[in-house]
Amino acid sequence: MTLRILVVTAMYPHPGNVGSGVFVMHQVEQIRALGHQVDVLHFPGYRSRLEYMKAAVEVSRRTRREHYDVVHAHYGVTGLTALFRNGIPLVVSLHGSGALVGWHEPLISRIVCRLADATIVASRKIADRIPGDVIPCGVDLAVFEPKPKAQARQRLNLEPRRKYILFPFNPGRGVKRFDLASGAVAKLAREGVDIELLTVSKIPNAKMPWYYSGSDAMILCSDSEGSPTSVKEALACNLPVVSTDVGDVREIVRGIAGTEIVEQSPVSLAAGLRRVLNRPPDFVFDGRTAMERYSQQKAVEAIVAVYRRVIEQRLLKHPSRRDAERTRTKTATDSKLP
């Protein structure tokens, strides 16, 4: 049965920040590719709390006038706006720091998830705090694939012989710890390595494989992560990753020779980078093969299975809704007949 879904999110690509919530957009596009109808309610939550109140009113309005099978809110705080969904099943996705850092956002997330019909969490570490179906964000292997390094560097105007360490995050986001990444690269530079920290953010998704392919390693040293999509994207492009033991990175890189899990300090990060950069010339790094287990299609199919489960549970609780659903399905089917 084709589902009609309302996605509610405060993070979604928009003019001025095409990288915001790109993983949410990926899910939406893949769900649509499976044949389902998806409407997106994106609101600028970064402006003020008033935007969340406006979004709550809009959720109520849309779910009252339109027949949605499920509402899917991304992040617990955003889930507050989706509580006003007029009896439609609600699924809430928790992606990382919103459920793990501080006290007020995790508290809100717990309350919202208790009121929701189902919770999806990006990693087991989040599930240890707030129970839910563990479904890490997937990676689009058709987009994120290796490019020839020389071609990538020429395209990006990078020096052919310099070592580039990719930091694919906004350096202004304190949780990403740009200070540690820059400190590690600066340490190697002082030791005589021709090296540069390549900081990239707000880049269209289609261009990112060129940055991954043109770099020598990616560095991740965040204070908190859920299931970092950037790590999966880098590995899908066969770029080695040096990371602290954060989120589910250890699980992501399991079995991949040439990756490094280190302590959260410039010294340890520099040592990990040094080992990656000094691999023997005949060493062939293969991260892409392992990323098959994180394919976006598999992740989205698991999400749709959660949708169907909560819809069925709601119908069992309200038999009259089941009869209405059967009528709607029959009407939709009859309308397609010649």
Side-chain angles (χ1 to χ4, degrees):
M1 180 184 74
T2 298
L3 302 179
R4 189 170 183 198
I5 304 133
L6 175 63
V7 168
V8 184
T9 177
M11 295 182 66
Y12 209 73
H14 59 276
N17 193 350
V18 295
S20 174
V22 69
F23 54 91
V24 179
M25 183 185 72
H26 290 167
Q27 280 192 15
V28 167
E29 291 176 344
Q30 190 66 46
I31 292 171
R32 286 172 176 161
L34 293 178
H36 303 292
Q37 300 177 34
V38 185
D39 292 338
V40 177
L41 171 54
H42 169 227
F43 64 97
Y46 60 88
R47 291 180 181 171
S48 71
R49 295 178 182 176
L50 180 60
E51 298 297 338
Y52 283 85
M53 296 177 63
K54 291 179 181 178
V57 173
E58 182 64 14
V59 169
S60 179
R61 186 189 71 82
R62 290 199 189 188
T63 54
R64 187 171 60 253
R65 296 183 179 183
E66 305 289 339
H67 183 96
Y68 290 107
D69 296 293
V70 66
V71 176
H72 187 174
H74 288 269
Y75 289 93
V77 176
T78 300
L80 278 174
T81 69
L83 292 178
F84 304 91
R85 79 273 192 190
N86 291 299
I88 296 172
L90 171 63
V91 175
V92 177
S93 280
L94 304 178
H95 295 283
S97 57
L100 299 173
V101 177
W103 66 270
H104 65 285
E105 285 195 30
L107 176 60
I108 292 172
S109 295
R110 289 191 188 94
I111 294 171
V112 169
C113 289
R114 286 175 183 170
L115 297 173
D117 295 89
T119 301
I120 295 173
V121 296
S123 70
R124 296 187 186 282
K125 286 189 177 181
I126 300 176
D128 290 340
R129 300 277 190 92
I130 303 175
D133 293 271
V134 180
I135 307 176
C137 288
V139 59
D140 189 341
L141 297 175
V143 172
F144 292 93
E145 58 181 2
K147 310 289 187 183
K149 177 174 282 190
Q151 184 179 349
R153 292 202 167 188
Q154 183 178 23
R155 182 186 180 106
L156 301 173
N157 295 316
L158 303 179
E159 295 293 331
R161 299 184 182 277
R162 182 168 297 166
K163 301 297 184 183
Y164 287 96
I165 308 303
L166 184 65
F167 184 83
F169 314 104
N170 180 353
R173 293 188 63 197
V175 71
K176 296 298 184 181
R177 298 305 302 270
F178 176 76
D179 58 320
L180 296 178
S182 57
V185 171
K187 186 177 189 306
L188 292 177
R190 288 193 298 270
E191 295 172 2
V193 180
D194 183 8
I195 192 169
E196 181 178 333
L197 185 64
L198 183 60
T199 303
V200 176
S201 65
K202 300 182 180 180
I203 297 293
N205 203 50
K207 293 184 179 180
M208 282 306 299
W210 293 102
Y211 284 93
Y212 288 121
S213 299
S215 303
D216 295 284
M218 179 191 138
I219 188 169
L220 177 72
C221 41
S222 306
D223 287 330
S224 176
E225 291 281 353
S227 181
T229 305
S230 56
V231 171
K232 301 164 198 167
E233 293 172 349
L235 295 173
C237 294
N238 282 334
L239 178 66
V241 173
V242 176
S243 175
T244 53
D245 192 3
V246 64
D248 66 346
V249 173
R250 187 174 291 278
E251 175 63 20
I252 294 172
V253 304
R254 175 175 50 86
I256 304 176
T259 57
E260 295 282 340
I261 301 290
V262 300
E263 294 181 359
Q264 195 188 34
S265 72
V267 172
S268 295
L269 288 161
L273 289 172
R274 190 183 302 110
R275 287 190 292 271
V276 166
L277 297 177
N278 292 333
R279 300 289 183 191
D282 60 345
F283 178 79
V284 178
F285 181 78
D286 178 19
R288 183 173 179 82
T289 300
M291 290 304 98
E292 291 288 345
R293 64 178 180 258
Y294 290 106
S295 75
Q296 192 174 74
Q297 182 171 348
K298 290 180 180 178
V300 169
E301 287 174 351
I303 290 170
V304 172
V306 173
Y307 291 166
R308 295 193 185 281
R309 187 184 76 216
V310 298
I311 292 167
E312 182 63 24
Q313 290 171 347
R314 182 60 65 97
L315 292 176
L316 287 174
K317 291 180 181 178
H318 305 280
S320 60
R321 289 180 181 270
R322 180 184 291 275
D323 294 337
E325 178 60 28
R326 285 173 177 168
T327 300
R328 183 179 75 89
T329 303
K330 184 178 186 303
T331 301
T333 302
D334 290 346
S335 67
K336 296 179 182 178
L337 296 176

